[in-house]
Amino acid sequence: MEPLIIKASIQIAKPAHDVYEAIVDPKKMSGYFIATGSGRMEEGQTLTWKFPEFSDELDVFVTQSNPDQQVTFEWQGSPKQRTTTNITLSAGKGGGTLVKITESEMPANEDGITWLRQNTEGWANFLACLKAYLEYNINLRKGAFDFMKA
């Protein structure tokens, strides 16, 4: 059986530069995804993300950062394995920016299926929150996961 890979995408009615900045700037990202980030997502940097509903902090190692086009990073995508996440930006149909996320990879076993379900939900949520933040200045995540707090 082939390894499991997550794929998610959405079109956002904003220029690629605005989308890119919302992804790499921790101040902007805290408006829709994380509580805090230790720095910009720049190539070679190791950052720490803190989420509003979890006590854990996650380390993120940025392997590639091409302004207005792509961000690639490694992180603890699963409790048992580091994964690589690639976010690409391209021209959307009718204007705006198409955002594609790929996270890989995990074996096709019970742990892999759990990862696939949880992180696919997570990336779909990330994209919806990013769109709401950029297009309507709404933080969809605020309070949405309070039920998960310890």
Side-chain angles (χ1 to χ4, degrees):
M1 195 173 260
E2 304 245 345
L4 301 173
I5 297 172
I6 293 170
K7 294 182 180 184
S9 58
I10 200 166
Q11 185 162 310
I12 297 176
K14 292 290 179 179
H17 180 74
D18 293 355
V19 177
Y20 178 81
E21 284 299 314
I23 293 168
V24 301
D25 182 339
K27 290 178 184 168
K28 291 179 181 177
M29 195 183 276
S30 69
Y32 68 93
F33 186 56
I34 58 175
T36 60
S38 64
R40 285 179 61 87
M41 295 187 76
E42 295 174 346
E43 195 167 314
Q45 297 295 312
T46 298
L47 314 171
T48 302
W49 285 348
K50 171 91 175 83
F51 289 86
E53 62 276 356
F54 306 114
S55 60
D56 297 342
E57 293 181 346
L58 293 173
D59 288 332
V60 175
F61 176 67
V62 183
T63 58
Q64 266 189 308
S65 185
N66 300 314
D68 305 343
Q69 297 175 9
Q70 175 189 18
V71 178
T72 303
F73 60 91
E74 295 175 0
W75 70 329
Q76 195 73 34
S78 167
K80 298 179 181 178
Q81 186 171 333
R82 292 186 66 76
T83 59
T84 299
T85 300
N86 187 41
I87 303 173
T88 60
L89 309 177
S90 60
K93 291 183 180 178
T97 303
L98 178 60
V99 182
K100 291 183 179 182
I101 299 176
T102 304
E103 185 176 0
S104 63
E105 64 187 42
M106 290 283 288
N109 58 24
E110 188 174 330
D111 287 342
I113 291 169
T114 298
W115 165 81
L116 183 73
R117 181 184 50 79
Q118 291 173 341
N119 286 25
T120 298
E121 288 174 3
W123 287 121
N125 179 267
F126 170 89
L127 289 170
C129 290
L130 176 62
K131 183 176 179 71
Y133 172 76
L134 285 171
E135 291 183 10
Y136 305 102
N137 199 30
I138 296 171
N139 184 346
L140 289 180
R141 193 170 179 109
K142 186 176 182 180
F145 299 102
D146 285 351
F147 69 95
M148 298 174 77
K149 289 182 180 179

